Every structure is written in structure tokens, then in C-alpha cells.
Amino acid sequence: MIYPIIGLGHPTLRKIAKPIDKDYPELEKLIADMYETMYAADGVGLAAPQIDLSIRLVVIGFRPYDEKTDTYGPVAEQHTLINPEILEYIGEKEYFNEGCLSIPDIHEDVLRTEGIVMRWFDENWQMHEDEIHGMFARVAQHEYDHLEGKVFTDHLSTLRKTMLKRKLNDVISGKVRTSYRMKRK
Ligand code: ZN
């Protein structure tokens, strides 16, 4: 099932999400639906608050993209993060151009560390504690923000946010068109 995605301005995106336990109802189905929702929207990460569920659950997935045919190959790597914790920020800080399914049409350079040490449970409730780098670390930090009620534009300078004000207001008032379904407040 594909969930509609909520946009900036929806109160759930500003809540601190709650941890879940093994008794969470139909978790397996929810995780599968989150992957389906993310891939249908051409995203590389989706946090449960983005589908209006204030729980600490994230899916991340990478598929090779072929520019010539404008199609995606099979999933190359995916990670389910249940109750993730960032234990340490490691490596150099670097800029990377980020976007967000909840903030359509806005792409901005965001400064984050290249790596993190993270602890999380996967979909089988196996605990992981790993140093992660590259795209996985980048997307994990972006998605972790969603669990803390933050979005990537919060990281921008006041000047940049002022410059984006009109575009951000368009998102908040639902004036943007998306290829995927969005849910209003
Ligand atoms: Zn996002």
C-alpha cells in the first residue's frame, strides 16, 4: 500500500517521534508499505513521520539510475532503521545537495559529517552498532532529523531561508505539484 506523504507545515513533521517495540501492530506490513511508498516517489529515504506516523522508524534504499532510459535498476542496498541512535559524528563535514519528499521542488546544499556511528535495530530486531559512511550516512542523518521533528531546511542559514521563503510557503500552503500523492493537514 502506498501512503500519502505529508508536507512541511503539517504538525507531525515537528513532533519528536516515539520509539517502538516488537509488539507494534503489523510492523512487517508497515515496513514493506514504507519501502513501496518511498520507491514509488523515487525517494532514497523515508521516515515514518512523513506518512503521519510519529514513530522512530526509517527506511533507506538505493537503486542504480540509468539517465539514458530514465529507469531504475533493482535495489542495490536497503536498510530498515528501528529506534536509531546517532552515537558519534565522525569525519569531515561536507556539503551535499539534499531534497525531501515532504519539501518538494527545493534542493539545497546541507553541511553534515561524512560519517556517523549509529546504533539501530533492523526489521528482524537484530541490533547493529556500526560506523557508516557516504550516502548511507548522509541519508541516515537526514532521516534521523525527521524523528527529532527537524527537516533539512532547518540547517540552512537565515539568509538562505529568507531567499527560499516564497518557495517554502508554497510547500506549506500545498501549492506544489508532485508525481506522488500528498496529504494535507
Ligand atoms: Zn526528508
Side-chain angles (χ1 to χ4, degrees), residues 45-47 50 98-103 142-143 146 150-152:
L46 183 72
Q50 293 180 275
E98 292 187 22
C100 179
L101 296 176
S102 296
I103 314 177
H142 175 117
E143 301 309 327
H146 281 302
K150 287 190 221 148
V151 292
F152 82 96

Side-chain angles (χ1 to χ4, degrees), residues 44-45 60 62 86 92-99 108-116 118 132-145 152 155:
V44 291
I60 292 173
F62 305 113
I86 296 177
E92 297 287 310
K93 279 194 169 183
E94 48 192 39
Y95 282 100
F96 187 83
N97 200 254
E98 292 187 22
E108 291 291 318
D109 290 338
V110 179
L111 191 62
R112 301 187 193 269
T113 60
E114 187 275 325
I116 51 173
M118 185 169 68
I132 63 171
H133 297 274
M135 270 304 275
F136 182 21
R138 170 63 59 165
V139 179
Q141 289 181 72
H142 175 117
E143 301 309 327
Y144 184 82
D145 275 354
F152 82 96
H155 292 273

Side-chain angles (χ1 to χ4, degrees), residues 71-91:
T71 53
Y72 288 95
V75 175
E77 184 185 338
Q78 64 180 29
H79 304 277
T80 306
L81 313 180
I82 299 173
N83 303 337
E85 289 171 79
I86 296 177
L87 305 175
E88 210 181 318
Y89 293 88
I90 51 175

Side-chain angles (χ1 to χ4, degrees), residues 11-166:
T12 301
L13 284 182
R14 291 305 188 185
K15 282 188 197 154
I16 310 259
K18 293 205 162 58
I20 55 170
D21 57 30
K22 287 178 187 171
D23 299 328
Y24 192 86
E26 295 187 72
L27 184 58
E28 203 176 317
K29 163 133 176 62
L30 174 60
I31 292 168
D33 287 345
M34 281 179 64
Y35 277 113
E36 192 184 354
T37 302
M38 176 183 77
Y39 289 127
D42 292 342
V44 291
L46 183 72
Q50 293 180 275
I51 57 163
D52 202 10
L53 277 178
S54 195
I55 57 171
R56 301 184 87 82
L57 173 63
V58 164
V59 296
I60 292 173
F62 305 113
R63 299 175 298 173
Y65 173 68
D66 185 341
E67 257 176 56
K68 273 186 216 145
T69 57
D70 188 27
T71 53
Y72 288 95
V75 175
E77 184 185 338
Q78 64 180 29
H79 304 277
T80 306
L81 313 180
I82 299 173
N83 303 337
E85 289 171 79
I86 296 177
L87 305 175
E88 210 181 318
Y89 293 88
I90 51 175
E92 297 287 310
K93 279 194 169 183
E94 48 192 39
Y95 282 100
F96 187 83
N97 200 254
E98 292 187 22
C100 179
L101 296 176
S102 296
I103 314 177
D105 291 346
I106 295 180
H107 293 87
E108 291 291 318
D109 290 338
V110 179
L111 191 62
R112 301 187 193 269
T113 60
E114 187 275 325
I116 51 173
V117 179
M118 185 169 68
R119 184 193 294 149
W120 73 99
F121 292 90
D122 65 21
E123 58 277 2
N124 302 312
W125 288 95
Q126 196 81 41
M127 197 187 85
H128 299 255
E129 192 174 310
D130 265 335
E131 199 177 282
I132 63 171
H133 297 274
M135 270 304 275
F136 182 21
R138 170 63 59 165
V139 179
Q141 289 181 72
H142 175 117
E143 301 309 327
Y144 184 82
D145 275 354
H146 281 302
L147 306 183
E148 293 294 300
K150 287 190 221 148
V151 292
F152 82 96
T153 48
D154 298 345
H155 292 273
L156 306 177
S157 66
T158 309
L159 174 66
R160 195 70 202 133
K161 274 188 273 201
T162 306
M163 289 168 76
L164 284 169
K165 198 158 190 143
R166 200 166 52 86

